[in-house]
Amino acid sequence: MTTRPDDPVRGAPAAPRGHRALVVVAAGSGTRLGFGMPKAAVRLRERTLLDHALQAVTAELGLELIVLVLPSDPAVHQELAAAGTAAAARTGADVVITTGGTTRTASVASGTHAVAEHAQLKGWDPAEVHVLVHDAARALTPAEVFQRVAEAAEASAVAVVPAVPVTDTIKEVTDSQGPGERAVATLNRAALRAVQTPQGFSLSLLQRLSKHAAAAGEEAGEQFTDEAMIAEHLGVDVVVVPGHPRALKITTETDLITAQGLLDAQQAPAVAEPEAHPPAPRVGIGHDIHAFADADEPAELWLAGLHWPGQRGLAGHSDGDAVAHACCAALFSAAGMGDLGTHFGADTVGTARPEMAGASGAGMLAEAARLVRQAGYRIGSISVQFIGSRPKLAPRREEAQRVLSEAAGAPVAVSATTSDGLGFAGRGEGIMATATAVLIPSGHSALR
Ligand code: CTP
Ligand code: MG
């Protein structure tokens, strides 16, 4: 049987038709959670809910654009924006960051506006742009739901929502809460669904929905709890596809505890077997040195997975990110799998692989991490230090750690030092980075 690339039911995920964009609304205040901070910035296992929400967004989803709609508070805005840098490095999508409004509807409108501007810039037809609108609060939504909604939206459905059957008996009650409240009807459970996100729309429809919501006024905006509800108001067909129990909306502290439990269950080994001799961790070391590019062949500076606008770049066949490369080398060293040259080729001896031209440091680190995992290791941690008089790391250290940790799928600590003016680093001729990595043999490799 052959699988057609546009067949959403069978086989591999269908390739995107037109252009795929994602809007993540993360501008809410999290009042019901009660942590005194915007919900998207609340941490679950040391990562923000927005970080978790973006975990499901992989390169396979084929997104060309990700719009993050963030709270206006500058400190929170800056902290959450780092998740965008990491998502861009991981998926190759353009990332646009914008500020939300006072209601969810207003925040979606702000995200829609950003998609429309980008589409215009790229010359995309709004009818050919499919937009997934997702709540950061549904932080554990699996990738398969994104794929399902995107495929259904592209297969001519006008509006698409993921949903799950409800398990409670749902009753309609009188309006007044408290002792006066009475049940007036029991709804037919078989016909009820709990609706989730991401919801899929063409950009042209989403623009229509935003316009309708704006015309209805702010009070009505508060009543619209999702975009599909506006579509229903307009008589637009809304297609329902299967959602997922993990796509629960984290609203209260109880939901946060449930989400924590789901994460714990995912990490716990299926059967905890006591090991007589737990395998010893393996330590690796890696160095990388890149010279600054000649003035007649200027390059952009990429270091520690970040772009450093306006700074003189490093020479190299790839993007010259010595910090990321040292991390790769340390991983290979710890696994006893050779070095950078073994896996990616080396410019100095003329074995650089053509496909590595301009390759991003974060991308190479993700690939190195994949290779050592495939060889049967779990990555404990990586620590990397670069020696150079510039760029100044301190203001962007957190961002660099986040991007590299995301790429490696394990904690990466980044530090920097100068060489007191001595040597090539002191003379500003280049940068040297040294990394160490700890790997834990996980004992399930077919390769060892
Ligand atoms: N949202 C938003 N802008 C708003 C309100 C909500 O971007 N003005 C986003 C939230 O960040 C969340 C999603 O919409 O990802 C769903 O909203 P909800 O769960 O209600 O989150 P909050 O509004 O933050 O929570 P609360 O209502 O308890 O304040
Ligand atoms: Mg809300």
Side-chain angles (χ1 to χ4, degrees), residues 74-354:
V76 180
H77 193 97
Q78 198 187 352
E79 188 199 357
L80 292 179
T85 316
R90 201 177 55 238
T91 62
D94 286 327
V95 172
V96 171
I97 291 172
T98 184
T99 303
T102 49
T103 61
R104 183 186 180 279
T105 310
S107 295
V108 174
S110 152
T112 304
H113 182 69
V115 177
E117 271 190 342
H118 192 85
Q120 196 175 20
L121 207 73
K122 296 272 182 179
W124 297 344
D125 173 356
E128 292 295 310
V129 182
H130 295 99
V131 189
L132 300 178
V133 178
H134 187 48
D135 289 346
R138 296 188 187 271
L140 303 187
T141 307
E144 61 173 85
V145 182
F146 286 79
Q147 188 68 33
R148 205 148 47 224
V149 172
E151 288 176 17
E154 286 157 13
S156 85
V158 217
V160 180
V161 296
V164 288
V166 295
T167 49
D168 288 323
T169 294
I170 309 238
K171 290 190 192 293
E172 191 182 331
V173 294
T174 49
D175 245 353
S176 59
Q177 280 195 0
E181 188 170 288
R182 295 285 182 278
V184 291
T186 301
L187 305 178
N188 172 18
R189 191 166 64 190
L192 293 175
R193 298 290 177 271
V195 170
Q196 307 175 324
T197 69
Q199 302 188 349
F201 314 88
S202 68
L203 174 58
S204 35
L205 174 58
L206 202 51
Q207 286 176 302
R208 230 179 100 204
L209 301 183
S210 280
K211 213 179 271 175
H212 180 76
E218 192 169 321
E219 210 170 297
E222 278 179 41
Q223 311 296 319
F224 293 131
T225 48
D226 68 359
E227 306 327 292
M229 189 174 164
I230 313 172
E232 291 153 27
H233 266 241
L234 288 173
V236 171
D237 211 14
V238 178
V239 167
V240 181
V241 298
H244 199 287
R246 293 179 69 93
L248 81 155
K249 182 149 78 76
I250 299 172
T251 305
T252 62
E253 199 169 353
T254 310
D255 299 329
L256 199 63
I257 293 165
T258 305
Q260 173 80 56
L262 287 170
L263 284 179
D264 289 346
Q266 199 177 30
Q267 291 229 329
V271 188
E273 284 178 26
E275 281 193 74
H277 300 288
R282 296 182 57 146
V283 176
I285 187 161
H287 288 285
D288 197 43
I289 297 173
H290 278 271
F292 281 109
D294 283 340
D296 52 352
E297 273 184 72
E300 296 283 311
L301 179 63
W302 280 89
L303 196 69
L306 303 180
H307 180 218
W308 301 78
Q311 303 235 25
R312 188 172 167 196
L314 293 162
H317 182 62
S318 64
D319 70 356
D321 186 339
V323 169
H325 298 174
C327 295
C328 298
L331 287 177
F332 293 139
S333 152
M337 291 168 64
D339 48 35
L340 273 187
T342 315
H343 298 275
F344 301 136
D347 355 351
T348 42
V349 291
T351 56
R353 307 223 178 119

Side-chain angles (χ1 to χ4, degrees), residues 32-54:
R32 285 170 289 176
L33 194 53
F35 278 37
M37 64 162 88
K39 189 156 67 183
V42 167
R43 283 171 195 273
L44 186 60
R45 275 258 190 81
E46 289 158 31
R47 313 179 82 148
T48 65
L49 290 188
L50 180 62
D51 280 330
H52 281 287
L54 287 170

